[in-house]
Amino acid sequence: MDGIEFSTEEIAQIQQAYERKMKLTALQAEIAAHAPMTVPPALKSALPDFPPDPDFFLATKIFGRYVVEGARHLPDSTNFIPAIIWFATSPQAADLRRRLITALTKHVEDKTLFSDVVQALLKHMAVVPGTEYGSFILALESGAHAREGISASTGVAVPLKGGGPVYWITGMERSRGLILEAGSNLLIGLRTETPAELTGQFYGYHSSVEVEISIGSNLYFDTSKELKYQGFTTAIGVGIGAGLGVLWGWEKAIPFPT
């Protein structure tokens, strides 16, 4: 039986995909090496409660909102992927990656760094995000999910309009569904609220898939009857697994000193 033959171009593409995979694995290991992640002391007081666990009817409604808003905002979230891959694997971004992980785990209030990271990511996006978004999220997340699970995140919210300070942000979320995941992830996302408005409860929906790299995405909604769309985050470096599921949680934000 004849062997499979690859062209020089196909071999180059396979090699590039493998190299990106290895670099993402290295990034995940670097994030995990800083675990357990902690949050700035000022964020630990008066934390919000989890919203009520979604019953079957609410979970179904959240999924329906996910289908509608996921399709409507698909260009926003997929637009992120080239920028995220560049940031996670490019040698040119190595210094920014190292400084960002250090700043998020050691709570370094480096306003210039966070703005630099946001501007670098925006330059590698095909389309500039719409004006409906008020915050750019940069965070680290760790957790585990096996049908039901919990995860924690800590990071910053950088204002996209109207100026104002960068905010520290922390949160926790629970999930339930067809999910099997574990790992430490870098979160990058857009929220409709300004950083000052990012304290409170939320519902959402999670999806993740492995396409050359592991990518997970959360869509967020408020806890009103309308389940108003509040943005999304994209996670890279998922440890294992994939899935779909409803999520619910809380977040708290405080401004950097001015």
Side-chain angles (χ1 to χ4, degrees):
M1 184 176 181
D2 294 337
I4 299 175
E5 294 185 2
F6 293 98
S7 67
T8 302
E9 182 179 350
E10 288 173 328
I11 292 173
Q13 291 175 346
I14 293 170
Q15 183 177 4
Q16 290 172 0
Y18 176 77
E19 289 175 351
R20 285 196 294 268
K21 187 83 170 183
M22 291 301 98
K23 289 176 180 177
L24 285 168
T25 301
L27 175 63
Q28 182 192 347
E30 184 178 359
I31 295 172
H34 289 82
M37 291 182 290
T38 59
V39 299
L43 282 169
K44 295 181 179 179
S45 60
L47 296 177
D49 294 324
F50 281 91
D53 292 10
D55 58 19
F56 173 79
F57 297 102
L58 179 55
T60 301
K61 185 176 180 179
I62 292 171
F63 176 71
R65 291 288 293 135
Y66 167 76
V67 171
V68 171
E69 297 297 343
R72 182 177 298 166
H73 296 280
L74 184 63
D76 294 335
S77 56
T78 56
N79 184 33
F80 256 55
I81 295 176
I84 291 173
I85 293 176
W86 170 82
F87 185 76
T89 64
S90 171
Q92 289 76 23
D95 184 59
L96 281 179
R97 288 196 303 269
R98 176 187 57 79
R99 290 172 58 201
L100 177 63
I101 292 172
T102 299
L104 293 180
T105 54
K106 298 186 181 298
H107 315 134
V108 178
E109 294 177 347
D110 188 338
K111 304 183 183 80
T112 302
L113 165 65
F114 300 126
S115 296
D116 287 348
V117 172
V118 169
Q119 292 305 313
L121 288 166
L122 290 175
K123 287 179 181 178
H124 285 81
M125 296 171 68
V127 180
V128 176
T131 56
E132 69 178 301
Y133 296 106
S135 300
F136 199 113
I137 305 298
L138 301 167
L140 300 178
E141 176 193 47
S142 64
H145 307 265
R147 293 185 179 270
E148 294 191 16
I150 189 167
S151 61
S153 62
T154 182
V156 293
V158 181
L160 285 178
K161 56 186 177 183
V166 176
Y167 273 58
W168 285 115
I169 183 170
T170 189
M172 294 193 73
E173 62 187 43
R174 293 172 176 162
S175 62
R176 181 171 63 239
L178 300 174
I179 302 173
L180 177 60
E181 296 177 351
S184 300
N185 313 311
L186 173 64
L187 296 179
I188 299 176
L190 295 173
R191 297 292 295 273
T192 59
E193 309 102 305
T194 64
E197 298 169 324
L198 288 172
T199 292
Q201 301 172 334
F202 59 82
Y203 288 113
Y205 206 84
H206 170 82
S207 63
S208 58
V209 66
E210 172 123 1
V211 249
E212 183 185 316
I213 60 172
S214 295
I215 300 174
S217 180
N218 290 350
L219 258 63
Y220 296 100
F221 310 101
D222 68 13
T223 56
S224 69
K225 291 183 179 179
E226 293 77 20
L227 292 172
K228 183 180 177 182
Y229 173 74
Q230 291 186 317
F232 66 91
T233 58
T234 299
I236 61 171
V238 174
I240 58 170
L244 295 167
V246 66
L247 59 89
W248 63 103
W250 57 262
E251 57 197 353
K252 180 179 179 181
I254 60 167
F256 281 13
T258 56

